[in-house]
């Protein structure tokens, strides 16, 4: 992923590398220039003033190069971060429940925001690392050009620096991984608390909830302190090793000066090149940035590893049919537990089926499989004889409409919420769907009607459900699936919506997850789930004679 990000920003990364190399070249030229200038000044030879001006230029140029480097690095990181976020967001939305079931909302937001920003620094970090490696190598070469024994003195202790950097990378990688994981954990707990703010306030458990959210904080602090200890230990070791290497170089240079083999200017240049050759500080900084980027990319890759549901070609169309839906040998596993086992069910086209059962019997899972919000772990689901995975994405979503217990009000405005789908049904269809869902009345009483922004529309739970129903009605093709989508409606409104569902909605086949006996009674047939299988299919009236069936509704 990091290499792909770097390739996408190849031109900018190349420019950053060239800027870094230019700055490094200037830094490498400066010690030799200073040494030569010093020799000219000490020996009072002509031309020293020109060399002084050259030294001044070599000191000023890096400032301009660093300014350009900072600007280009910032914009490159921003572009790379935006690209990673778009890629991750597209994948999460395409994967749908597969992604949200595996990762909590808070953890996903942390990966999408913080981890993507860390990974987005990769092109700039790689470019900076390239130039930061050139500086020490150039310093060693320069020492060898001044006097081979200076390079030998430095290289004798260089393996210690290599071991130091390797140990730092290994320890930092584990610290950063644990730190980012704990950040995601805290974010997930916070999202849960924000979503349940009313319940927390009503229960008076704000203090306990705060403690629950911050429970991972000591571990997070521990990992943070561990990172500082790792970096501090590396810095302490560097403080010990680096001066010894510099002293060794200067000692050898002093001896060579005493022997008359080096000049004072050579000694000055050697001291500066020794500093460049031991540039551990820059390497450590870039190494830490690379570790953060690599670890963050690993967390992004975890999300991108969630498989996307395969779809058929866009040109594949459903054959003419009445909307017959069939589940054959369907099995579903959630959390290691078999929710549905070898389930067989046929919903004839043009009929309504109520799905009932005790909590945990798989009603919502069946509803998700029926419209391919999820795929079964075994078996097949067909619509008018076509397996759902063989249909194109848009064709499937035009054929199957959904409404849920807690609908998300997307689309910006109330009208946009009803129209939200693969195709805009148009204002007339939006209004008709809202009338069928008994939402048109309260929508028209809003300050701006259907143009009212969702954030400015105070809606009750029942009103929100009616908007969700209206959205499903506006997009219903052959099948309409209501997953407990009328639970917040009063009895009268539910009866009116049920009548409109038969009279005014285009969908031929209707599946309703029912918790009320009255809802099941209005369906043409009832599928009674028990133990992950269909215990019986029949009319509500015929099943009501069974005491176990009445017990499902508390009867």
């Amino acid at each position: 992923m990091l290499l792909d990000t770097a390739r996408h920003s190849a031109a900018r990364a190349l420019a950053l590398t060239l800027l870094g190399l230019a700055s490094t070249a200037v830094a490498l030229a400066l010690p030799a220039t200073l040494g030569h200038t010093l020799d000219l000044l000490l020996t009072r030879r002509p031309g020293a003033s020109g060399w002084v001006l050259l030294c001044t230029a070599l000191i000023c140029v890096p400032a301009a190069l660093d300014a350009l480097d900072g600007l280009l690095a910032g914009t490159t990181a921003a572009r790379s971060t935006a690209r990673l976020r778009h890629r991750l967001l597209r994948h999460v939305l395409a994967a749908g429940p597969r992604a949200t079931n595996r990762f909590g909302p808070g953890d996903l937001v942390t990966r999408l925001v913080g981890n993507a920003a860390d990974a987005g620094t990769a092109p700039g970090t790689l470019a900076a690392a390239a130039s930061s490696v050139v500086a020490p190598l150039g310093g060693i070469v320069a020492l060898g050009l001044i006097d081979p024994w200076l390079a030998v003195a430095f290289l004798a202790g260089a393996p210690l620096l290599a071991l130091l950097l390797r140990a730092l990378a290994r320890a930092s990688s584990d610290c950063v991984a644990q730190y980012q994981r704990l950040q995601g954990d805290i974010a997930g707990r916070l999202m849960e608390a924000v979503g349940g703010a009313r319940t927390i306030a009503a229960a008076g458990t704000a203090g306990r909830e705060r403690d629950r959210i911050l429970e991972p904080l000591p571990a997070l602090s521990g990992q943070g302190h561990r990172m500082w200890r790792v970096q501090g230990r590396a810095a302490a070791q560097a403080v010990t090793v680096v001066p010894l290497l510099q002293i060794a170089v200067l000692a050898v240079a002093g001896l060579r000066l005493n022997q008359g083999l080096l000049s004072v200017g050579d000694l000055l240049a050697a001291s500066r090149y020794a500093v460049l050759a031991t540039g551990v500080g820059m390497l450590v900084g870039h190494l830490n940035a690379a570790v953060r980027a690599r670890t963050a990319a690993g967390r992004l890759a975890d999300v991108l590893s969630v498989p996307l549901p395969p779809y058929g070609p866009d040109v594949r169309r459903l054959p003419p049919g009445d909307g017959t839906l069939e589940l054959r040998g369907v099995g579903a596993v959630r959390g290691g537990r078999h929710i549905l086992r070898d389930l067989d069910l046929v919903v004839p086209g043009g009929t309504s089926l109520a799905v009932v059962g005790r909590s945990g019997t798989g009603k919502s899972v069946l509803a998700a499989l029926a419209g391919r919000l999820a795929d079964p772990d075994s078996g097949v689901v067909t619509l008018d004889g076509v397996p759902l995975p063989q249909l194109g994405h848009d064709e499937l979503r035009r054929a199957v409409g959904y409404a849920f217990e807690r609908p998300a009000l997307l689309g910006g405005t109330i009208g946009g919420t009803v129209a939200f789908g693969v195709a805009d049904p148009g204002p007339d269809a939006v209004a008709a769907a809202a009338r069928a869902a008994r939402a048109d009345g309260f929508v028209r009483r809003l300050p701006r009607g259907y143009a009212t922004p969702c954030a400015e529309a105070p809606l009750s739970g029942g009103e929100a459900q009616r908007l969700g129903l209206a959205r499903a009605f506006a997009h219903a093709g052959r099948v309409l699936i209501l997953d407990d989508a009328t639970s917040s409606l009063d009895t009268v409104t539910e009866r009116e919506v049920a009548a409109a569902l038969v009279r005014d909605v285009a969908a031929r086949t209707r599946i309703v997850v029912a918790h009320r006996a009255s809802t099941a009674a209005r369906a043409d047939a009832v599928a009674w789930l028990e133990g992950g299988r269909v215990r019986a299919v029949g009319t509500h009236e015929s099943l009501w004679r069974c005491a176990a069936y009445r017990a499902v509704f508390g009867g």
Side-chain angles (χ1 to χ4, degrees), residues 288-312:
N288 283 331
V291 167
R292 285 197 305 273
R294 182 177 182 275
T295 306
R299 286 173 58 79
L300 300 184
D302 285 343
V303 178
L304 295 175
S305 68
V306 176
L308 298 180
Y311 289 96

PDB file of all heavy atoms in Angstrom, residues 288-312:
ATOM      1  N   ASN A 288      11.326   6.837  12.508  1.00  0.00           N
ATOM      2  CA  ASN A 288      10.091   6.853  13.302  1.00  0.00           C
ATOM      3  C   ASN A 288       8.881   7.155  12.418  1.00  0.00           C
ATOM      4  O   ASN A 288       7.815   6.536  12.560  1.00  0.00           O
ATOM      5  CB  ASN A 288      10.194   7.894  14.418  1.00  0.00           C
ATOM      6  CG  ASN A 288      11.041   7.407  15.580  1.00  0.00           C
ATOM      7  OD1 ASN A 288      11.113   6.213  15.835  1.00  0.00           O
ATOM      8  ND2 ASN A 288      11.676   8.317  16.284  1.00  0.00           N
ATOM      9  N   ALA A 289       9.035   8.132  11.518  1.00  0.00           N
ATOM     10  CA  ALA A 289       7.937   8.461  10.608  1.00  0.00           C
ATOM     11  C   ALA A 289       7.606   7.275   9.713  1.00  0.00           C
ATOM     12  O   ALA A 289       6.426   6.985   9.452  1.00  0.00           O
ATOM     13  CB  ALA A 289       8.304   9.683   9.769  1.00  0.00           C
ATOM     14  N   ALA A 290       8.628   6.567   9.239  1.00  0.00           N
ATOM     15  CA  ALA A 290       8.400   5.397   8.387  1.00  0.00           C
ATOM     16  C   ALA A 290       7.697   4.283   9.160  1.00  0.00           C
ATOM     17  O   ALA A 290       6.807   3.600   8.624  1.00  0.00           O
ATOM     18  CB  ALA A 290       9.720   4.895   7.821  1.00  0.00           C
ATOM     19  N   VAL A 291       8.073   4.103  10.419  1.00  0.00           N
ATOM     20  CA  VAL A 291       7.424   3.074  11.248  1.00  0.00           C
ATOM     21  C   VAL A 291       5.953   3.410  11.453  1.00  0.00           C
ATOM     22  O   VAL A 291       5.072   2.543  11.351  1.00  0.00           O
ATOM     23  CB  VAL A 291       8.159   2.949  12.601  1.00  0.00           C
ATOM     24  CG1 VAL A 291       7.326   2.138  13.589  1.00  0.00           C
ATOM     25  CG2 VAL A 291       9.518   2.282  12.404  1.00  0.00           C
ATOM     26  N   ARG A 292       5.665   4.686  11.757  1.00  0.00           N
ATOM     27  CA  ARG A 292       4.262   5.093  11.935  1.00  0.00           C
ATOM     28  C   ARG A 292       3.470   4.885  10.650  1.00  0.00           C
ATOM     29  O   ARG A 292       2.340   4.399  10.683  1.00  0.00           O
ATOM     30  CB  ARG A 292       4.187   6.558  12.361  1.00  0.00           C
ATOM     31  CG  ARG A 292       4.567   6.817  13.803  1.00  0.00           C
ATOM     32  CD  ARG A 292       4.082   8.179  14.270  1.00  0.00           C
ATOM     33  NE  ARG A 292       4.564   9.257  13.406  1.00  0.00           N
ATOM     34  CZ  ARG A 292       5.720   9.868  13.567  1.00  0.00           C
ATOM     35  NH1 ARG A 292       6.525   9.497  14.557  1.00  0.00           N
ATOM     36  NH2 ARG A 292       6.089  10.842  12.757  1.00  0.00           N
ATOM     37  N   ALA A 293       4.073   5.267   9.518  1.00  0.00           N
ATOM     38  CA  ALA A 293       3.367   5.113   8.240  1.00  0.00           C
ATOM     39  C   ALA A 293       3.125   3.641   7.927  1.00  0.00           C
ATOM     40  O   ALA A 293       2.029   3.265   7.491  1.00  0.00           O
ATOM     41  CB  ALA A 293       4.179   5.770   7.119  1.00  0.00           C
ATOM     42  N   ARG A 294       4.115   2.805   8.167  1.00  0.00           N
ATOM     43  CA  ARG A 294       3.979   1.375   7.861  1.00  0.00           C
ATOM     44  C   ARG A 294       2.934   0.720   8.753  1.00  0.00           C
ATOM     45  O   ARG A 294       2.116  -0.085   8.286  1.00  0.00           O
ATOM     46  CB  ARG A 294       5.330   0.686   8.028  1.00  0.00           C
ATOM     47  CG  ARG A 294       5.329  -0.796   7.686  1.00  0.00           C
ATOM     48  CD  ARG A 294       6.727  -1.396   7.805  1.00  0.00           C
ATOM     49  NE  ARG A 294       6.739  -2.792   7.433  1.00  0.00           N
ATOM     50  CZ  ARG A 294       6.448  -3.787   8.270  1.00  0.00           C
ATOM     51  NH1 ARG A 294       6.120  -3.522   9.519  1.00  0.00           N
ATOM     52  NH2 ARG A 294       6.480  -5.051   7.864  1.00  0.00           N
ATOM     53  N   THR A 295       2.952   1.064  10.041  1.00  0.00           N
ATOM     54  CA  THR A 295       1.976   0.493  10.968  1.00  0.00           C
ATOM     55  C   THR A 295       0.568   0.956  10.625  1.00  0.00           C
ATOM     56  O   THR A 295      -0.388   0.169  10.641  1.00  0.00           O
ATOM     57  CB  THR A 295       2.324   0.891  12.408  1.00  0.00           C
ATOM     58  OG1 THR A 295       3.679   0.516  12.692  1.00  0.00           O
ATOM     59  CG2 THR A 295       1.398   0.210  13.402  1.00  0.00           C
ATOM     60  N   ALA A 296       0.430   2.241  10.309  1.00  0.00           N
ATOM     61  CA  ALA A 296      -0.882   2.772   9.932  1.00  0.00           C
ATOM     62  C   ALA A 296      -1.376   2.111   8.651  1.00  0.00           C
ATOM     63  O   ALA A 296      -2.560   1.770   8.529  1.00  0.00           O
ATOM     64  CB  ALA A 296      -0.796   4.285   9.755  1.00  0.00           C
ATOM     65  N   ALA A 297      -0.480   1.902   7.694  1.00  0.00           N
ATOM     66  CA  ALA A 297      -0.870   1.245   6.442  1.00  0.00           C
ATOM     67  C   ALA A 297      -1.348  -0.182   6.710  1.00  0.00           C
ATOM     68  O   ALA A 297      -2.265  -0.672   6.045  1.00  0.00           O
ATOM     69  CB  ALA A 297       0.299   1.238   5.463  1.00  0.00           C
ATOM     70  N   GLY A 298      -0.742  -0.832   7.696  1.00  0.00           N
ATOM     71  CA  GLY A 298      -1.204  -2.173   8.061  1.00  0.00           C
ATOM     72  C   GLY A 298      -2.630  -2.164   8.568  1.00  0.00           C
ATOM     73  O   GLY A 298      -3.431  -3.062   8.257  1.00  0.00           O
ATOM     74  N   ARG A 299      -2.996  -1.118   9.347  1.00  0.00           N
ATOM     75  CA  ARG A 299      -4.372  -1.025   9.851  1.00  0.00           C
ATOM     76  C   ARG A 299      -5.349  -0.700   8.714  1.00  0.00           C
ATOM     77  O   ARG A 299      -6.493  -1.165   8.721  1.00  0.00           O
ATOM     78  CB  ARG A 299      -4.448   0.037  10.948  1.00  0.00           C
ATOM     79  CG  ARG A 299      -3.821  -0.436  12.260  1.00  0.00           C
ATOM     80  CD  ARG A 299      -3.740   0.673  13.296  1.00  0.00           C
ATOM     81  NE  ARG A 299      -5.023   1.263  13.619  1.00  0.00           N
ATOM     82  CZ  ARG A 299      -5.939   0.734  14.441  1.00  0.00           C
ATOM     83  NH1 ARG A 299      -5.695  -0.448  15.024  1.00  0.00           N
ATOM     84  NH2 ARG A 299      -7.075   1.354  14.690  1.00  0.00           N
ATOM     85  N   LEU A 300      -4.895   0.087   7.752  1.00  0.00           N
ATOM     86  CA  LEU A 300      -5.751   0.346   6.592  1.00  0.00           C
ATOM     87  C   LEU A 300      -5.914  -0.922   5.761  1.00  0.00           C
ATOM     88  O   LEU A 300      -6.997  -1.216   5.258  1.00  0.00           O
ATOM     89  CB  LEU A 300      -5.153   1.455   5.723  1.00  0.00           C
ATOM     90  CG  LEU A 300      -4.949   2.830   6.375  1.00  0.00           C
ATOM     91  CD1 LEU A 300      -4.436   3.822   5.343  1.00  0.00           C
ATOM     92  CD2 LEU A 300      -6.226   3.339   7.015  1.00  0.00           C
ATOM     93  N   ALA A 301      -4.828  -1.675   5.618  1.00  0.00           N
ATOM     94  CA  ALA A 301      -4.885  -2.909   4.834  1.00  0.00           C
ATOM     95  C   ALA A 301      -5.839  -3.925   5.468  1.00  0.00           C
ATOM     96  O   ALA A 301      -6.468  -4.717   4.755  1.00  0.00           O
ATOM     97  CB  ALA A 301      -3.481  -3.506   4.692  1.00  0.00           C
ATOM     98  N   ASP A 302      -5.949  -3.911   6.802  1.00  0.00           N
ATOM     99  CA  ASP A 302      -6.901  -4.809   7.461  1.00  0.00           C
ATOM    100  C   ASP A 302      -8.320  -4.536   6.978  1.00  0.00           C
ATOM    101  O   ASP A 302      -9.106  -5.463   6.756  1.00  0.00           O
ATOM    102  CB  ASP A 302      -6.835  -4.620   8.990  1.00  0.00           C
ATOM    103  CG  ASP A 302      -5.603  -5.250   9.591  1.00  0.00           C
ATOM    104  OD1 ASP A 302      -4.969  -6.086   8.917  1.00  0.00           O
ATOM    105  OD2 ASP A 302      -5.255  -4.909  10.741  1.00  0.00           O
ATOM    106  N   VAL A 303      -8.653  -3.261   6.824  1.00  0.00           N
ATOM    107  CA  VAL A 303      -9.998  -2.905   6.355  1.00  0.00           C
ATOM    108  C   VAL A 303     -10.158  -3.284   4.886  1.00  0.00           C
ATOM    109  O   VAL A 303     -11.182  -3.842   4.480  1.00  0.00           O
ATOM    110  CB  VAL A 303     -10.249  -1.397   6.551  1.00  0.00           C
ATOM    111  CG1 VAL A 303     -11.634  -1.011   6.024  1.00  0.00           C
ATOM    112  CG2 VAL A 303     -10.134  -1.025   8.037  1.00  0.00           C
ATOM    113  N   LEU A 304      -9.124  -3.001   4.092  1.00  0.00           N
ATOM    114  CA  LEU A 304      -9.209  -3.304   2.666  1.00  0.00           C
ATOM    115  C   LEU A 304      -9.194  -4.803   2.386  1.00  0.00           C
ATOM    116  O   LEU A 304      -9.523  -5.230   1.276  1.00  0.00           O
ATOM    117  CB  LEU A 304      -8.051  -2.633   1.922  1.00  0.00           C
ATOM    118  CG  LEU A 304      -8.071  -1.098   1.925  1.00  0.00           C
ATOM    119  CD1 LEU A 304      -6.818  -0.547   1.256  1.00  0.00           C
ATOM    120  CD2 LEU A 304      -9.316  -0.580   1.229  1.00  0.00           C
ATOM    121  N   SER A 305      -8.810  -5.602   3.394  1.00  0.00           N
ATOM    122  CA  SER A 305      -8.823  -7.057   3.208  1.00  0.00           C
ATOM    123  C   SER A 305     -10.230  -7.643   3.324  1.00  0.00           C
ATOM    124  O   SER A 305     -10.437  -8.806   2.991  1.00  0.00           O
ATOM    125  CB  SER A 305      -7.901  -7.727   4.233  1.00  0.00           C
ATOM    126  OG  SER A 305      -8.421  -7.600   5.549  1.00  0.00           O
ATOM    127  N   VAL A 306     -11.174  -6.841   3.827  1.00  0.00           N
ATOM    128  CA  VAL A 306     -12.562  -7.320   3.888  1.00  0.00           C
ATOM    129  C   VAL A 306     -13.049  -7.513   2.457  1.00  0.00           C
ATOM    130  O   VAL A 306     -13.043  -6.576   1.649  1.00  0.00           O
ATOM    131  CB  VAL A 306     -13.459  -6.302   4.621  1.00  0.00           C
ATOM    132  CG1 VAL A 306     -14.915  -6.756   4.590  1.00  0.00           C
ATOM    133  CG2 VAL A 306     -12.988  -6.122   6.052  1.00  0.00           C
ATOM    134  N   PRO A 307     -13.446  -8.716   2.082  1.00  0.00           N
ATOM    135  CA  PRO A 307     -13.814  -8.971   0.675  1.00  0.00           C
ATOM    136  C   PRO A 307     -15.076  -8.212   0.273  1.00  0.00           C
ATOM    137  O   PRO A 307     -16.021  -8.082   1.064  1.00  0.00           O
ATOM    138  CB  PRO A 307     -14.027 -10.487   0.628  1.00  0.00           C
ATOM    139  CG  PRO A 307     -14.368 -10.862   2.040  1.00  0.00           C
ATOM    140  CD  PRO A 307     -13.608  -9.915   2.927  1.00  0.00           C
ATOM    141  N   LEU A 308     -15.084  -7.696  -0.939  1.00  0.00           N
ATOM    142  CA  LEU A 308     -16.271  -7.034  -1.469  1.00  0.00           C
ATOM    143  C   LEU A 308     -17.206  -8.082  -2.067  1.00  0.00           C
ATOM    144  O   LEU A 308     -16.758  -9.068  -2.644  1.00  0.00           O
ATOM    145  CB  LEU A 308     -15.882  -6.034  -2.556  1.00  0.00           C
ATOM    146  CG  LEU A 308     -14.987  -4.870  -2.120  1.00  0.00           C
ATOM    147  CD1 LEU A 308     -14.700  -3.967  -3.326  1.00  0.00           C
ATOM    148  CD2 LEU A 308     -15.624  -4.078  -1.005  1.00  0.00           C
ATOM    149  N   PRO A 309     -18.497  -7.869  -1.917  1.00  0.00           N
ATOM    150  CA  PRO A 309     -19.426  -8.830  -2.531  1.00  0.00           C
ATOM    151  C   PRO A 309     -19.329  -8.764  -4.042  1.00  0.00           C
ATOM    152  O   PRO A 309     -19.389  -7.680  -4.633  1.00  0.00           O
ATOM    153  CB  PRO A 309     -20.802  -8.350  -2.037  1.00  0.00           C
ATOM    154  CG  PRO A 309     -20.602  -6.920  -1.658  1.00  0.00           C
ATOM    155  CD  PRO A 309     -19.189  -6.796  -1.195  1.00  0.00           C
ATOM    156  N   PRO A 310     -19.144  -9.896  -4.705  1.00  0.00           N
ATOM    157  CA  PRO A 310     -19.062  -9.878  -6.174  1.00  0.00           C
ATOM    158  C   PRO A 310     -20.442  -9.679  -6.785  1.00  0.00           C
ATOM    159  O   PRO A 310     -21.455 -10.152  -6.256  1.00  0.00           O
ATOM    160  CB  PRO A 310     -18.499 -11.262  -6.504  1.00  0.00           C
ATOM    161  CG  PRO A 310     -18.944 -12.130  -5.353  1.00  0.00           C
ATOM    162  CD  PRO A 310     -18.986 -11.243  -4.143  1.00  0.00           C
ATOM    163  N   TYR A 311     -20.478  -8.952  -7.863  1.00  0.00           N
ATOM    164  CA  TYR A 311     -21.736  -8.735  -8.587  1.00  0.00           C
ATOM    165  C   TYR A 311     -21.572  -9.208 -10.025  1.00  0.00           C
ATOM    166  O   TYR A 311     -20.460  -9.286 -10.555  1.00  0.00           O
ATOM    167  CB  TYR A 311     -22.127  -7.255  -8.576  1.00  0.00           C
ATOM    168  CG  TYR A 311     -22.578  -6.763  -7.218  1.00  0.00           C
ATOM    169  CD1 TYR A 311     -21.688  -6.130  -6.361  1.00  0.00           C
ATOM    170  CD2 TYR A 311     -23.886  -6.946  -6.790  1.00  0.00           C
ATOM    171  CE1 TYR A 311     -22.080  -5.680  -5.113  1.00  0.00           C
ATOM    172  CE2 TYR A 311     -24.296  -6.497  -5.544  1.00  0.00           C
ATOM    173  CZ  TYR A 311     -23.388  -5.877  -4.712  1.00  0.00           C
ATOM    174  OH  TYR A 311     -23.787  -5.443  -3.476  1.00  0.00           O
ATOM    175  N   GLY A 312     -22.688  -9.447 -10.652  1.00  0.00           N
ATOM    176  CA  GLY A 312     -22.670  -9.821 -12.058  1.00  0.00           C
ATOM    177  C   GLY A 312     -22.423  -8.608 -12.929  1.00  0.00           C
ATOM    178  O   GLY A 312     -22.341  -7.471 -12.451  1.00  0.00           O
TER     179      GLY A 312
END
